[in-house]
Amino acid sequence: MTNPNASQPTPETNPNARAAIGERRTPVIASIAAFCVGALLAGGIVGGFAYARQGQTSGGEPGGSTTATAADSCDTTFTVVASVNQWGSLAEQLGGSCAEVTSLINSTSADPHDYEATASDLAKLAKADIVVLNGAGYDGWAEKAQLDPDKQAIVNVGDLMGITATEEHSHEHEEGAEGEEGHHHHHGSTNPHVWFSPEGVLKAAEAINDAYVTKAGENSKTAATVQRHFNEWNGEYADFVALVNKGRAAGVQRNYVATESIISYLLDYIGATDKTPETYTNAMNSEAEPSAADLKNAMDIVASDDVDILVVNPQEMGGFAKKLNEAAISSNKTIISATEQLPENQKTLLDWLTLIAKQALATDTTNGFFLTQDVKDRTLADYEGEWQSVYPYLQDGTLDSVMEAKAKKGDMTAEEYKQYYDTGYKTDVEKIVIKGDQMSFTRGGKTATATYKYDGFKILDYAKGNRGVRFLFTATGDVPAGAPKIVQFSDHGIAPGKSAHFHIFMGDDSQEETLKEMDNWPTYYPASLSKEEVATEMLAH
């Protein structure tokens, strides 16, 4: 799947790209001076320390998962058991080949609130060299295992943060309003979702690394290996903090309503303001259901201009959550979906936090992170002019320098990138001319012209968590051979503005069918540019 809002679609933003793309990273030196990655900013930014990183992460994206190119050397290996895969993924990333990690809950289809540990689960916990628990009452079933702190290293993240379960913590499953299933998890004054706390994640990473080094011995090969992974991780954490600090420095303000407080730690960290009515929150965090008046008030606030985002947990969509979701959809608001467990399409915990931060900040339109309500209608005037296809330049080698540049910071060779873009750019339409409400398409020296009307836009949600917008146009009247009946534009913009280049999707069936095309996106630059200038423009993006 392409990212139509990216200046150039890439395999990294295309979920349909072949899965064989590897994660290549340059290793960092194991011993590097620490530096402060998070100054305390007004509104809740938490400070942390991270090691300076040398080398390049794929695409330069904050939070990219790290697999070192250097082989891991392990004279000791650990068995690590985590109660949930959020922490298991972190333990695996930090341990590399030196850690054999098992996450007892490892799927978004499982509900940890209802989970009943098996005898096998408890045995694994009791036998593990290192145990990683969430704590804070979230995984109390795991804390009941016969753990031995004298023989095992036990990392309890709730304890690291000074958060313990309260007596109010409970789990209920009742019939909700109007016969709908109610599914409520009451945590009282405790928010146990500490994996969404950047402070908690940093503390957990430090504790896991300490456990590895202590178990292996400071002068062991294993200690050197895990320290290298930890240094790499710290560099990624610094990128994450820099992303958040950039949003705060730019004065980004986000107001949200949440069906439950699942990512409130992270939203507090980026400086977002919780507009969820207290009466609604109190009702959901206790044995009471929100009253009809409280629910209506919450729905009205979601639909108001004072709220940017609704946060939902798709694993817990009871009747009341569904009503807030419907209010957000009807009022054209951005919806962020956050599961309890690490989603299957996220490789690491830090990847996940980075993605959600990007979704909430919504300041990177180019890469598909924007507010739903900021998307506006556009006209053909935005695309007016004479445009040339870049496909011939891919074939004749003009764009080889572009492919080589991508290979230097990406996960494929230049030739592999060229093959990928050959599918994306491929077209026999060498020129498009747009004037007024007409578009002309030239193939092999023959030109066909048709008149087009605007049919609105479609926001596409991609599996990787980013989004794209296509602006839809349909031919009217008699459509000559060679002119497509359906045209969809995708470029940087989500609102009126002159396009510098665009990707175009063409079809003869319907808008719905054409929206299914994800692999072929012929790309056009102004015809006034020489082929060398086109390559230069691409390199600049």
Side-chain angles (χ1 to χ4, degrees), residues 366-383:
T366 297
N367 288 303
F369 297 100
F370 51 85
L371 294 179
T372 300
Q373 53 269 38
D374 287 344
V375 182
K376 306 299 180 184
D377 291 316
R378 299 173 72 180
T379 69
L380 276 180
D382 285 359
Y383 309 98

Side-chain angles (χ1 to χ4, degrees), residues 8-25:
Q8 292 297 318
T10 67
E12 289 77 16
T13 60
N14 184 347
N16 284 346
R18 60 184 178 82
I21 295 175
E23 292 289 338
R24 304 191 184 104
R25 301 291 188 273

Side-chain angles (χ1 to χ4, degrees), residues 471-509:
F471 294 90
L472 318 178
F473 295 85
T474 304
T476 62
D478 294 330
V479 183
K485 295 178 182 178
I486 302 298
V487 171
Q488 299 173 355
F489 289 99
S490 177
D491 61 358
H492 286 289
I494 61 173
K498 180 62 178 174
S499 182
H501 71 269
F502 59 77
H503 312 296
I504 192 169
F505 301 80
M506 297 173 281
D508 289 317
D509 295 319

Side-chain angles (χ1 to χ4, degrees), residues 158-217:
D159 289 349
L160 292 174
M161 295 183 67
I163 299 173
T164 57
T166 68
E167 293 180 359
E168 298 168 349
H169 180 95
S170 65
H171 312 291
E172 295 192 0
H173 304 275
E174 303 172 349
E175 288 299 309
E178 301 175 1
E180 297 183 58
E181 182 182 355
H183 200 177
H184 313 300
H185 301 136
H186 308 308
H187 302 290
S189 59
T190 297
N191 180 356
H193 307 106
V194 292
W195 60 92
F196 284 120
S197 164
E199 178 188 19
V201 172
L202 180 60
K203 287 179 179 293
E206 292 170 338
I208 292 170
N209 181 67
D210 287 346
Y212 286 161
V213 172
T214 300
K215 281 282 186 182

Side-chain angles (χ1 to χ4, degrees), residues 386-463:
E386 185 173 336
W387 304 87
Q388 60 179 321
S389 168
V390 303
Y391 186 51
Y393 304 149
L394 182 73
Q395 294 178 302
D396 69 14
T398 301
L399 301 185
D400 284 355
S401 61
V402 178
M403 302 300 116
E404 290 165 3
K406 290 181 179 297
K408 287 181 179 179
K409 62 180 182 179
D411 295 308
M412 294 194 297
T413 66
E415 184 58 34
E416 288 172 330
Y417 274 110
K418 190 169 184 176
Q419 293 173 7
Y420 172 80
Y421 282 101
D422 188 85
T423 300
Y425 290 160
K426 190 171 186 177
T427 182
D428 61 355
V429 178
E430 60 256 26
K431 184 172 74 172
I432 298 175
V433 177
I434 302 172
K435 185 175 182 179
D437 60 357
Q438 292 189 324
M439 284 189 267
S440 299
F441 302 84
T442 300
R443 292 178 173 88
K446 296 182 179 180
T447 300
T449 301
T451 301
Y452 293 82
K453 68 178 181 67
Y454 179 58
D455 263 345
F457 59 80
K458 178 68 174 179
I459 298 176
L460 302 179
D461 294 304
Y462 300 148

